[in-house]
Amino acid sequence: MIAPTTSLGLIAVTVAAFAAGSSIYLRSGKIPVLQPVLIAILAIVIMLLLTGLPYDEYFEGTSPLHNLLGPTIVALAVPLFENLRKARAVLLPLLGSVLLGGIAVTGSALLLGQLIGLDTLMELSLTTKSVTAPIALSVAEKIGGSVPLTILSVFTTGILGVIVTPSILRWMNVKDPVVTGFTLGMTSHAFGIARSVELGSEAVAFATLGMALMGCGSALLVPALFRLI
């Protein structure tokens, strides 16, 4: 198999992989395990393995897509601004949820590490698993975590979160888009925001808020916690 070598070709393959994933997801009736992002990741991994194309070369070739991430994140402020009044009305419960969620995320990572005998480096990397990648990497650097392990834990948590979280919320009979969106954003960061698009602009707004609050809280509290222990 011959890999595309130009930047345009690599971008086209990446977009085509995501488009194929979206088509499969929709045609399947939106089966949770067939998330478009997961399918696209698997397709790109297979392409790299079959062609022998170095990941660094692929990453550099698709850099224009990475540059779009910033404007995309800024654009998420639009639905949040539209729902700003509602967000203000429930700000205290949201902050409480983030505090408890942050404690649960960090605590579960440390507990998991103790139970299965992970070394300190892996434990540190797991503590940022529910935070969006740029913040997670910054926090991991401050507490001495591993960059590759941090990226792996963030992506794994995000993908599993968008697969499992909606099912748990349905089982609990939670139908409010505010609660669903905020939970997805807080636990699954950018993956959760992408999933919340299916639920409407209100869910997207609170998913964005959940991701932002969880990221800021982790960036402030996790390094402080590790200084104490």
Side-chain angles (χ1 to χ4, degrees):
M1 182 177 178
I2 300 175
T5 56
T6 64
S7 178
L8 183 59
L10 292 172
I11 290 173
V13 168
T14 303
V15 173
F18 183 78
S22 298
S23 177
I24 293 171
Y25 179 62
L26 293 174
R27 289 176 180 273
S28 71
K30 298 183 179 180
I31 296 176
V33 295
L34 297 179
Q35 289 295 316
V37 174
L38 178 58
I39 294 175
I41 290 174
L42 292 175
I44 295 300
V45 168
I46 292 172
M47 186 270 289
L48 294 179
L49 291 174
L50 291 177
T51 61
L53 182 71
Y55 175 74
D56 290 342
E57 186 175 333
Y58 167 78
F59 186 87
E60 183 178 352
T62 55
S63 58
L65 290 179
H66 313 156
N67 296 334
L68 293 174
L69 181 60
T72 301
I73 296 299
V74 172
L76 291 174
V78 175
L80 182 57
F81 178 78
E82 293 174 347
N83 292 273
L84 190 58
R85 181 175 297 178
K86 191 166 188 176
R88 285 175 176 170
V90 293
L91 185 59
L92 287 180
L94 295 182
L95 291 175
S97 299
V98 170
L99 178 61
L100 293 176
I103 293 172
V105 166
T106 305
S108 64
L110 296 174
L111 180 61
L112 178 64
Q114 293 296 319
L115 289 176
I116 63 179
L118 295 179
D119 60 31
T120 303
L121 183 64
M122 294 188 72
E123 282 190 38
L124 294 174
S125 301
L126 282 176
T127 57
T128 58
K129 58 188 175 65
S130 291
V131 184
T132 187
I135 297 177
L137 291 174
S138 177
V139 174
E141 182 181 354
K142 289 182 179 179
I143 63 177
S146 164
V147 170
L149 288 175
T150 298
I151 293 175
L152 179 61
S153 66
V154 167
F155 273 75
T156 302
T157 300
I159 291 174
L160 289 178
V162 296
I163 293 174
V164 176
T165 301
S167 298
I168 294 176
L169 292 175
R170 282 195 297 269
W171 177 72
M172 297 176 64
N173 200 31
V174 175
K175 300 179 180 179
D176 190 339
V178 170
V179 177
T180 302
F182 188 78
T183 304
L184 283 169
M186 189 172 66
T187 59
S188 307
H189 36 86
F191 291 95
I193 294 176
R195 179 69 172 80
S196 68
V197 171
E198 301 174 19
L199 307 175
S201 63
E202 192 174 57
V204 173
F206 280 86
T208 303
L209 186 59
M211 182 185 75
L213 291 177
M214 189 66 163
C216 292
S218 297
L220 293 172
L221 298 179
V222 171
L225 172 64
F226 276 90
R227 288 194 188 96
L228 294 176
I229 63 176

